Amino acid sequence: MKYMFLDESGDPGIRGSNYLIIASLLVEDTQPLRKIIKNMRRNKFKKELKKANEIKANSSSDAVIKHMITALNNVVGAKLHCVVFEKRTNKRLFHQKDLNSLYNYIAGALAKQIKIQDNIIIRIDRSKGKQTLRQEFDNYFLDNLNEGSELGNVEIYHSNSNSWEGLQFVDIIAWSYFQSFEHRNHSYVDLIDMDCKLFEL
C-alpha cells in the first residue's frame, strides 16, 4: 500500500500570483510523518504549536518549516513530484478553461509523471465544496495517473489537512517551491534532499 498527499501553493486565477505550484508526497507508511509532528508538538516547538490545530507554512516560523523539510528527508521511501505552472507563458489556457478545469489540467499533468503499480490511497487538501467538482477532479486525475497504465486499487479522499500529517508536510513542500519560483527565495528548496521530480508545465 502507498499513500499520496496532494496540495498547491499560489492561485489558479489569471491575476494574483505569477505561479501555481502543485506538489505530491508519496510515502509507504504514514506513521513516520505522524511521529515527526507529534515530537515537534511535545518537544522543540511545543510553545509555538500549542494553539495550532495544524501546521501551515504561511503561518509557521522559519524554524518549523526547515525542521519539517529536514525531517522529511529522513523518511525512508518518501518521494516528491511537483509541477510548476507559470501563468504568463500559459495565458491561452485561461481562455480555454474555467478555473476548476484549469486546476484539474495542471494536476493531471502532475499525475502523468507519477508511476505507481501498488494499491494507493490519495488524499487531497479539501478545497472543492461541491461533490460534482470533487468527482470531476478525481476522474481526471485517475485518467492521467500512470498515463493509462494498469493501476492497483486507488482510493481518493478530499480531506481536512488538520487531520492528516501528510497534507501538512505537502503544504510545506508546495509552499517552499512557490517561494523559490515566485519570490526567488531558494533557502527552503535547497534543504530538500530526497527523490523529487520537478517539472514546469
Side-chain angles (χ1 to χ4, degrees):
M1 176 69 77
K2 301 282 188 183
Y3 302 88
M4 184 191 300
F5 299 93
L6 197 76
D7 199 8
E8 79 281 340
S9 188
D11 64 88
I14 193 168
R15 296 180 177 82
S17 62
N18 296 313
Y19 290 88
L20 174 66
I21 311 292
I22 302 181
S24 71
L25 168 63
L26 188 66
V27 294
E28 298 175 358
D29 183 7
T30 60
Q31 186 60 32
L33 306 180
R34 191 173 299 114
K35 185 177 179 180
I36 291 167
I37 291 183
K38 186 176 181 179
N39 287 339
M40 289 174 67
R41 288 185 174 279
R42 284 185 172 180
N43 301 299
K44 188 174 182 178
F45 300 101
K46 182 177 180 179
K47 184 176 180 180
E48 179 177 345
L49 299 178
K50 185 176 181 180
K51 295 182 179 180
N53 291 326
E54 62 179 308
I55 300 175
K56 300 286 285 184
N58 61 13
S59 59
S60 296
S61 69
D62 188 72
V64 162
I65 294 168
K66 290 182 176 179
H67 179 88
M68 288 180 68
I69 294 172
T70 303
L72 187 60
N73 286 333
N74 296 318
V75 174
V76 176
K79 296 180 180 180
L80 300 174
H81 294 80
C82 191
V83 58
V84 180
F85 179 77
E86 184 181 8
K87 297 176 186 178
R88 179 175 55 85
T89 57
N90 289 282
K91 285 184 177 180
R92 61 181 178 81
L93 291 175
F94 289 98
H95 302 293
Q96 299 171 1
K97 303 176 182 293
D98 61 60
L99 292 185
N100 285 304
S101 297
L102 178 60
Y103 183 90
N104 293 350
Y105 173 77
I106 300 168
L110 175 70
K112 287 180 180 180
Q113 307 300 313
I114 301 171
K115 309 301 178 187
I116 186 165
Q117 295 178 323
D118 306 84
N119 296 336
I120 185 168
I121 294 176
I122 302 172
R123 292 196 182 274
I124 299 139
D125 192 19
R126 187 174 186 133
S127 60
K128 300 178 185 296
K130 294 182 179 180
Q131 176 61 31
T132 54
L133 295 178
R134 295 196 292 269
Q135 193 62 54
E136 286 175 8
F137 174 90
D138 295 352
N139 293 340
Y140 193 85
F141 194 82
L142 281 176
D143 285 345
N144 286 278
L145 193 62
N146 268 20
E147 286 194 296
S149 300
E150 186 174 346
L151 284 166
N153 183 59
V154 181
E155 300 175 35
I156 300 182
Y157 300 97
H158 295 253
S159 304
N160 294 320
S161 54
N162 58 7
S163 299
W164 297 96
E165 291 82 2
L167 288 174
Q168 296 172 48
F169 273 97
V170 78
D171 170 85
I172 295 289
I173 295 299
W175 181 89
S176 296
Y177 278 107
F178 181 79
Q179 299 308 307
S180 181
F181 282 89
E182 185 81 8
H183 303 298
R184 299 297 182 261
N185 177 1
H186 311 302
S187 61
Y188 302 100
V189 297
D190 284 348
L191 294 175
I192 296 173
D193 184 24
M194 69 188 84
D195 187 353
C196 180
K197 292 180 173 60
L198 174 74
F199 70 101
E200 297 185 51
L201 184 61

